[in-house]
Amino acid sequence: MAKPLQSPFRSSTFRQLRRQLRSPLKRPLFIGLIAFLFLLITVQGSRQWGADPGWATPGLFSCPSNRTNFLPQPTWTKQHQSKVKQTWSTLKAIFDEHGPVPSELPKPKHKGDGDFPSKEKLKHFINTTEDEVHRSRIEHETVLRHIPPYPERLFSGKGVVMLAGGRYSEFAATSLGMLREVGSRLPVEVWMKDESENFEGWCDELEREGMLCRKLSDCMDLTNLPVGYQWKIFTMLFSAFEEIIFLDADSMPMWNPDYLFESKIYQESRAILWPDYWKHTGSPWLPYVINISDGQSEMLQDERSVESGQIVWDKHMHWKPLCLAAYYNYHGPKYYYTLINQGWAGWGDKDTFPIALKAFREPYYQVPHDIITMFVDGTLLGIGMVQGDPTNTTANYPLFMHSNIVKWSVREFFCKTCPPRQKGGNTYNSLAENPDSYIYRHLREGKRIFNTNQIKDTGLDPEPVMWKSMEHTACRSVWGTKEICRKTREHMRRTFGTRFQSSWLATFFGYGDRVCIVNP
């Protein structure tokens, strides 16, 4: 016969505890211990932010942070990887068999690139015949017909996708930190070319923040894709997410972007693209090749080109245009980049996305707000492109900043005779060591980097929070060193009055040096 379960309140241990509590000398110690445990559990720091960037009051043992508040990551299994590789194998065979004619269209070299070309000049930059563009149109039509249907149950959920690797992983560390600092809970995939671009220990850090590293080499052979911006489209294509916010490694959210998926604009179009500075500079043959005109046409030349530092895309809704954009990038450096751009500013992947959507006549939303150029404080040197909130149609309210000139990286800013980023690389000087850099004086003298006059009406000041992300990378990450951490914190103290509060209690009990950033 089984022995009946004994109530824990009748156990010998509990009887001993009751006897101890009857002692007038020991009772206060037990009460104090219980109170301490209660504080340890409940007083972990009061948060002062919701969806917007902010600061927190340190707790006993922790520095409260949005960086650990995230949604679950979709499953990436060997079976999933095998299906992705199979999908790419099918597409690659189509792309190889139906390339453009000629196979190479040389990129024109322009003098005086700052002068925007007239419509008449745009007719004469590339050397191709009517017969060749007609054959390219036929091959293009064949690709459209043969793109396989959307692979059901292969992709799921919503998330952020970023292409990093090499020195861009350093920039990604800051941008991904900003994503969490502004309150995003979306899971993230961080893609790299192959294992050689993996900075030891970084991927382990990312996992603790709901971010997983992926390698393109697990899904495709990159031997014949030598140009880095050819790879961006494949991170979107292979990602486990069905709905994507793609961010360049140097593109940072200034506000929590998670709401974009629920916005009316996205629900109606399922694709959001942001503008570049310039109008479209494609060949008049482009509309003919993609079969939206019956001959040469100027129909695209009054349109604004786009930039691909940030893209919102529903793969289920726009699967075939995404595959077609992959075709354009697969043949990009040798043909399509030149047909689409003719060698002017922005030659590369960026305009392949709207062109693919146009070819399939599928809807998308192009943000109408102008780019706000961020300048170095006290100068007329532009160092960042601020892109607006697409849901705000009455005002240009900042949402993303694409750091296209000065890249935000703690090593880029502060390391001394920086060690090589990759095996076999060379040492280099940080911006704080280079008197010719845009921000040399600002880093040396503890000055703000951005002139915020352009966005003062919005009341938004992203720089302190960007430095908060930088401090995490400098002091709590494999990217940082003791010296870089010291320089980063010193700059924050001098520039913003930031304070750093150490938890002596955590250190005393062996939890390490817990230093929290306190609201300046």
Side-chain angles (χ1 to χ4, degrees), residues 54-295:
W55 310 87
T57 302
L60 289 175
F61 280 88
S62 67
C63 303
S65 172
N66 285 344
R67 296 182 74 119
T68 56
N69 183 23
F70 51 82
L71 296 172
Q73 187 83 22
T75 304
W76 179 278
T77 63
K78 290 290 185 182
Q79 184 180 13
H80 177 92
Q81 183 173 306
S82 176
K83 289 181 179 178
V84 167
K85 290 177 71 174
Q86 184 178 355
T87 300
W88 168 237
S89 179
T90 301
L91 288 171
K92 183 178 182 301
I94 297 169
F95 296 173
D96 284 335
E97 185 176 353
H98 301 288
V101 180
S103 59
E104 292 195 34
L105 200 59
K107 177 184 176 182
K109 294 181 180 180
H110 303 293
K111 295 181 179 180
D113 287 353
D115 299 327
F116 188 81
S118 66
K119 292 181 179 180
E120 182 61 31
K121 285 185 177 180
L122 288 174
K123 296 178 182 178
H124 307 292
F125 286 130
I126 59 174
N127 185 20
T128 186
T129 67
E130 190 170 341
D131 177 66
E132 287 172 339
V133 293
H134 180 69
R135 290 166 62 191
S136 288
R137 175 185 170 113
I138 293 173
E139 299 295 351
H140 186 276
E141 289 176 347
T142 306
V143 171
L144 264 65
R145 290 197 307 270
H146 285 80
I147 290 176
Y150 179 75
E152 299 291 343
R153 295 184 294 278
L154 182 56
F155 310 113
S156 65
K158 303 176 177 70
V160 175
V161 174
M162 181 175 286
L163 176 60
R167 68 190 292 255
Y168 281 88
S169 290
E170 298 179 36
F171 314 148
T174 304
S175 299
L176 293 170
M178 278 292 287
L179 186 70
R180 287 291 181 248
E181 294 292 356
V182 299
S184 174
R185 300 182 63 229
L186 291 170
V188 180
E189 289 180 351
V190 182
W191 287 80
M192 305 173 199
K193 178 185 177 183
D194 52 33
E195 186 59 33
S196 70
E197 294 196 328
N198 181 18
F199 193 83
E200 185 176 358
W202 186 47
C203 289
D204 294 333
E205 291 180 356
L206 292 177
E207 285 192 33
R208 295 193 287 272
E209 298 191 36
M211 307 178 187
L212 294 182
C213 291
R214 308 277 189 230
K215 298 189 291 290
L216 283 167
S217 59
D218 288 340
C219 304
M220 67 187 305
D221 181 3
L222 292 161
T223 304
N224 295 320
L225 298 173
V227 183
Y229 37 76
Q230 288 181 276
W231 308 338
K232 184 183 302 185
I233 182 69
F234 296 104
T235 68
M236 297 172 64
L237 194 68
F238 299 154
S239 167
F241 303 127
E242 183 170 83
E243 298 177 66
I244 290 169
I245 296 176
F246 176 87
L247 294 177
D248 270 351
D250 55 1
S251 183
M252 288 180 265
M254 303 171 74
W255 205 254
N256 186 349
D258 295 5
Y259 71 94
L260 290 174
F261 287 125
E262 311 306 323
S263 66
K264 182 180 179 181
I265 285 170
Y266 174 74
Q267 294 297 326
E268 291 176 349
S269 65
R270 315 301 287 190
I272 304 175
L273 303 175
W274 276 262
D276 210 332
Y277 286 108
W278 308 281
K279 286 187 177 180
H280 183 78
T281 57
S283 166
W285 281 118
L286 174 61
Y288 178 75
V289 170
I290 67 172
N291 197 21
I292 60 173
S293 74
D294 295 327

Side-chain angles (χ1 to χ4, degrees), residues 155 164 208 227 256 299 307 310 352 358 406 424 473 496 504:
F155 310 113
R208 295 193 287 272
V227 183
N256 186 349
M299 63 189 299
E307 66 113 348
Q310 50 286 311
T352 61
K358 290 177 185 295
V406 172
T473 306
F496 306 107
W504 64 267

Side-chain angles (χ1 to χ4, degrees), residues 446 485-495 500:
C485 176
R486 183 191 65 78
K487 290 180 178 179
T488 301
R489 287 177 174 171
E490 180 60 24
H491 181 84
M492 294 173 71
R493 287 190 188 98
R494 296 172 67 190
T495 309
F500 300 90

Side-chain angles (χ1 to χ4, degrees), residues 19-39:
R19 283 197 297 269
Q20 295 286 343
L21 286 174
R22 290 193 186 106
S23 168
L25 294 177
K26 295 182 179 181
R27 188 181 300 166
L29 293 176
F30 279 102
I31 294 173
L33 177 61
I34 291 170
F36 174 77
L37 291 174
F38 176 79
L39 286 171

